[in-house]
Structure formats: structure tokens, C-alpha cells
Amino acid sequence: MDCYHCKQDISGNPEFCPACGKILPVPEGRSHYQVLGYDRVIMNLDSADLERRFFHLSKKFHPDRFAGKTPVELQFSHDHSSAINNAYRTLKNPVTRARFLVERELGSIVEKSSSVPADTADLFFEMHDTLDVIRESNGNPPQDAVNQVKAAEADLRRKATVLEEDLQRSFPVYDEQGGKDLVEAMKEKLSHRSYILSFLRQIDSALGRDL
Amino acid sequence: MGLEIGIGSAAQEKPLAVGIDLGTTNSLVAYVKNGQPVVMNGPDGKSLVPSVVSFQPENLFVGTAAKRYLLTDSQRTVYSVKRLMGKGIDDIRQELHLLSYPILGHGKEIVKIQVNNREYTAPEVSAMILKELKFIAEKELKRSVVQAVITVPAYFNDAQRQATKDAGKLAGLDVLRILNEPTAAALAYGLDQIKEGIIAVFDLGGGTFDISILKVKDGIFQVLSTNGDTHLGGDDIDNRLSEFLMDMIRKFGWKSEWDTNLIQVVRNAAERAKCDLSDNDQTLIRIPLGPENFELALLRSDFEALIGDIIERTLRPCRRALADAGLEPQQIDEVVLVGGSTRMPLVRRSVQDLFARIPRCELNPDEVVALGAAIQADILAGTSREEMLLLDVTPLSLGIETYGGGMAKLIERNSTIPTSATEYFTTFVDGQTSIDVHVLQGDRELAKDNRSLSRFQLKGIDPMPAGLPRIEVMFMIDANGILNVTARDMRTGKLQSIEVKPTYGLTDEEVEKMLMDSMESAESDFAARMLIDARNDADIVLRATNKAILHADDFLTEVEKEAVFRAKQDLEEATKGLDHSLIRIGIEKLDQATQRLAQGIMDKTIADALRNKSLDELSEEAEKTTYK
């Protein structure tokens, strides 16, 4: 491939043309990890290191650095910058990072799947009824129903936290051994967590809560 | 201004860009001078230019000159136009009664303002304010100013940002960046006040409220989250107090045959009372009503009870911003107050209670946004500051309408910009050659509850069985927070043509046409403007000379005195003519002739501390000293 500006050879996917120094298009098919300069998937990321990379790359590619340059260069800087921002947003949060891994390894979209955690199936069943009672009370819910829901809510928040901690505990293990089983297990945790969170949102709306 | 003693600044010929705070009630322009941002003063010597435009039959007035018509000709005097930016008539129905000028709305189009049998869009009126600021800058800097950073509330949606950018273009500006106001303020504080940490910027202006939470580290200003209410500000407090006063006035026994300007008179009194109560425990409101006066003593505590619920509306956006940043209030290192409305003690107390720390306000809350915009303009003009970088976010989620009226989110709110998302589209019917896409902004589940941004059509798809075509559409929110859409046919790899029609905005063609129209009248406008301005300056210099001349005998020879009188006479003569350049020459000559006089007065009355002051200030000082 040749540089769009000076027509020199630019094989090897550099970000700036080695001959004329112009910013080049984002190479296609780069993963979030590659965008941030990691040579492989690392689940147990050091967040300080991640932020350093993000800041360093932002200073290099942000459109502010290309103000007054040609529209083509400005476009490429937007493309680079947006890839950097999207990668950082995905990887800095352990949950979205795990989701990224699951989608990559298993090809399934976790976001849309949520399954009831087996150990709390009964609780959910009960709560659905109690929530209905609250919803139909026209803003005047029986106190015991509210208490019941609040107790369940605290329990569910704890469970969601435990799931997140479990998830993160599996990161260093995955980095060492890899393996599809681990990814499957992560997927299940994510899916349980997402069920719990959507249920917590239902509680919020039934109780008429708004931050 | 006027007679300057001392050496004027040498013309800088390096790139220059200004920062503009285009506010609901006031606007400002600032630039970076020797590494420090400074605001520039308008013809009245004040940095705040009221965001008011008055369409008088013989002339167009902007700023302080326009503001006086609010009370006498409120039908042709446009204020708070920022509230109309990017809006349709349905968006503003509830506040129509607060605007004294006629507003037209046709269905889902953007609203228009009707004055003197002409219709103006909000960007056109905003452009007039921007032109005034541009003019102020050009006068101060003695060179043409084209590049600018213009600030907007962080919570402005795409249409409002685009409208602001259009206004800049109509004013003949090259808009380098649309910058969020709280981010600009953070930048101004970051220059030498706050170097590291998590800061919350609480920005309560004339018409809008923003809260932004930023992390400042290694020269990077990273916005973590932002929230706000584009309909909450000092205006609402003025309105509340006005309504209260109108009620009292009615009870006072007055009939409703008020002239159309009464609401403005009351609003004016309300605004003054509000400001007064920031410094005093009580104030006296006096409104002339025909032969009598309406009078009311208002206690600060009563005022606070009256507006308490308005101030409370700032708290929910704050809590949401904290939640989105994943922070508790006690994790915030500094809270910064921005916007004139934060002068109210009640606001300060609420902020202090919420964040459990004393908020900072070292920088003038009216000026800090413009100062920050100037710094960003300096960064973008490429002068220096390579260590500083702003990373801002998009305030609202972006999505598209799904089959069945839902919204599929593509970009989450508070994503760092620029950011992009790719979505694939296909056909539902055999032989279908176009696909309609409806883009939305907001966080509600249903499409109809979110803000409609634009509709576009993917056209020219080859006729094929349903589901076979694959069109890749990239939604990119750029560094201004404005959406750009590109589409590509996956099969051929060719770029797909799209026609984006903004729901509440102007097309590029419309902006071009307005620009052409305004160019035609611009030349005559400009000459008239230059004349008014030169006369004003001449007036200031003449007044200063008349005062200083009382001391002429102490410092000047007869010949020198004679020269001053002659120069004075020439200038007085020139101001009667229509040639602004003759007036400028006259000012220059009088300046030279009075130099020794000014020097003498300065040496005598006050020592070196007052060097660089203008003659009229000096002669005032001189008078005081003489009569001691």
C-alpha cells in the first residue's frame, strides 16, 4: 500500500507515514486490545497502565491535534480517536471487558441474553407477585410489600456484586490457562448479572424511584 | 480605550482565534494574551454584552444599545434567543407567554421570529450577536478575527449544537470547535488553579443548567459524565418572581390594560431584586404604574422560599452525573461554580450541602466560560500548550427507531467523543431500492419519547430479493458533539448516497442562502457601524480632553495649548461628518497633542502605579486630588 499523500510504500500498518509524517487511516480489523497497543488479550488489566495508554494515544490522535489540517487528515484523526475511545470504554470496565471476550470467543451477543440464576429462581417468582401488588396500589403500596421488596433488593445487589467479583477472579486464571470453559462460565455470570440488574430496574420503577 | 498613555501592544501576527461564550442573557469574547486568557470589553466598557437584538426601523442594535428597547419596544427586541435554538414550536409552547416578540411555528419546522414583517431564524439572530462580538474583538486586536471557539451548554442536543455552528457560519466565523461550557470553565480553572483531581463544575447560567464531572491529570481534562437541564436558569427565577409580582400588582387593584411593555418592566425589577438579594438580606422593589408606584419590601428568606423548588431541580442532574461517573459526592476533590446564577446564596448552600465541601469561585462566574473558550481556541490555533487536551463526552444516547417504534441505542450517553457505531441495514421487500432511517437522541425506551434528530434515506440500492442487500452505516459523533453519517454498500464497497434532513434545523443550502443574503446588506451595515463606533470613541476622548484641559496651564506652553485646542476643534468637526476614517485621524491627532498634558498630570498627581491608565481615569483622579 502507498501513502495517500507522498505515495511512498507504507506496508506494516504504521499510524503515520514514515516518509512524510502524515496521519494514515486506521488499519482494518484491529481489536480493542490492538488499538491500545496490547499484543494479546489480557483480562487482568492494570487500570493505571490502561489509562496511561489511553492518555498517551489521545494526545497523539485527538482531532484537537489536527485542527487546521486537511479534511482527510482530520477525518483519519477522528477515526483513530474514536477507535481509541471505544476501545478504552470497553476495556476499562471489567464487565464490558468480559462481554467483549465472550462475544469474541463464543460469537454470541451477551447483552441480549439474560438468564435466571438457579439459586434465586424462587425469590424472583415471589417478587414478581409482590411487585404487581405494589404497581396496582396506585401509589399507596402496603408497607409489608415494600419492606419485602427492599429486603430482596439488598440481597440482589449483594449477589450482583458477588458475580462481578467472581468474574474478575477468573481473569488472571484465564490469562494463564485460557480455555473455552472459562469463557462459558463468564458468559453465565454475565447473563445472571444482567437478569438481576434488569430486575432491580423493575423494582426502581415499581417504587416510583428516580435518582 | 480613548487616550492611552504608554506603549500599545505590538501587533502579533501569529495565528489568533477567540473564545466566545454565547449566553442566554449575556455573551462575551476573550482571547489569550501573553499566555493568559483575557476578556475583551465592548463599546460601553463592559465585558458582558447583553444577548439582545433590537430591530429598530432605522437601525439594528445589539447588546447594551439594544437592551434599553426591551422596556420601550419589546415587540421588536429579541432576547433569550438561545432558548429557541434548534427548537420546533411544540418544544417551546409553555414559554411562549414569556417572550414579548412574536414567534411563528409551522408544524415540525424550526421556529421563526417575526419582526418588521420579516422572519428570522434563531441562528440568524444569534449570528447578529456573534457579529457584535467579532467586531469587539477586531477593534481591540486591530486585526480581522475569523477563527473562534463557541461554547454551548453541555446538555445541548445535536440540533442545538448544529444551530450554534450555523450561527457562527452566518456571522462570518470559522468555528474551530463547539465547546461545552462547563468543560471550558474547567479548563480556565485548570490553567493555574487546579492541577489534578476530580472536579465537579456546577454551571447555572441565564437559561441552562449543566453539571460536569471531570478528571484532571497529566494535562488531560477528561469529562467523566455530564448532565443538566437546558431549561433551567436565572431566567426561570426572574419569571417566577415576575409572576409573583404580577399577582401582587393585580391584587394591588390594577386592571389588566397594561401596555405590552409592563411584563418587561416587571421582569427588569425582578432581575434587579434577585441580584440585590445576593448581597443583602432584603430589597425594596419599586415599579412605577401610571401616577402611583407599586412598592414591596422583599426579604431574602421569602425570596428563597419562592424559588426553592427551582434550585432543587439542579440536584437530580447532579446525582445522575455522579452515578454515571461511578462516584460518590465525597470522592469529588473540588467543586467549581460557574454562571451568574451561582451568586445566589441559596445556590451556594445547596451545592455545599450536596458535595459536602465549600465550592470554589475565584474566577468571575460570568467570565470563566469565555476564558476557557479562549484557552481552547489558543490550543486549536496551534500556538502552544501541547501538554493540554480536552476529552469531552456526548451528553445523550444516540439511537435509531426500530420497527415497532422502539429505540435501538447505538452510542451510550457519556461516551468520550469522537465516537462511532456501525449498524447494518437490509431490505424488507423484494426489489426495495431505498431504506428509511430515523435517528434519535435520548434515553427513553420508545422512539416517540426521544428527540428526533434527523431522517435519512439510503438510496440507489440495487433491486434484489428482500434481506440480501447489506448497507453498513457509520454514525460518528465528532469532537463538536455533532453527528455525521456515512453509508457503504457492503457488496460493492461503494459509498452510498444519503440525504440527511435535520428534523429541527437548517439544511446546508439554507445556511448558504442566508449567508449570501446577509453579505448583500453587510457592506452598508459595516460602514454605518464603523461610523457609530468612531463617534463613540471620539466622544470619550473629547470628554477626557475637556476635563484634562483644566490643568493645561500647569504643564503646557502656549504653543502646545494652541495645538490641543486645534486638534480638539478638528475632531469635533469630524464627528459631524459621515466619514469614520476622518474621525479616527482626528482621534489620533488629539491623542498626540494631549500626550504631554497627560504625562504631566500623571507625573504630578499619581506615581508610577497608575501608568497605562487612560487619560479620563487620570483626570478624574486629578480632580479628586486637586480638591482635597
Side-chain angles (χ1 to χ4, degrees), chain A residues 51 64-65 82 85-86 210, chain B residues 177 215 320 386 418-420:
Chain A
E51 187 186 66
D64 280 8
R65 295 284 185 259
S82 134
N85 289 335
N86 292 353
D210 194 4
Chain B
R177 173 78 78 247
K215 179 175 189 172
R320 288 187 165 170
E386 263 165 32
T419 184
S420 60

Side-chain angles (χ1 to χ4, degrees), chain B residues 521-624:
Chain B
S521 55
E523 215 153 294
S524 57
D525 282 359
F526 188 70
R529 184 58 214 267
M530 292 295 274
L531 180 62
I532 293 173
D533 226 68
R535 280 179 178 165
N536 288 343
D537 284 353
D539 202 44
I540 293 167
V541 177
L542 284 170
R543 261 187 287 147
T545 307
N546 284 336
K547 277 193 215 164
I549 221 157
L550 301 171
H551 308 277
D553 289 338
D554 299 346
F555 305 106
L556 301 184
T557 64
E558 281 307 312
V559 178
E560 284 171 329
K561 252 168 73 180
E562 178 57 32
V564 170
F565 277 111
R566 209 169 338 109
K568 189 166 97 73
Q569 244 170 14
D570 286 349
L571 179 57
E572 280 164 350
E573 206 49 48
T575 56
K576 289 175 194 151
L578 293 173
D579 190 342
H580 64 85
S581 52
L582 274 182
I583 303 176
R584 290 278 166 218
I585 293 170
I587 293 174
E588 192 77 13
K589 290 215 165 123
L590 184 57
D591 251 340
Q592 283 169 8
T594 52
Q595 225 162 41
R596 275 226 336 117
L597 176 58
Q599 191 67 43
I601 293 175
M602 184 171 81
D603 288 347
K604 179 166 181 254
T605 55
I606 25 175
D608 295 342
L610 287 176
R611 248 172 226 282
N612 293 325
K613 278 212 175 180
S614 67
L615 183 53
D616 52 347
E617 284 170 277
L618 277 177
S619 53
E620 269 169 39
E621 299 276 349
E623 274 169 34
K624 283 180 213 152

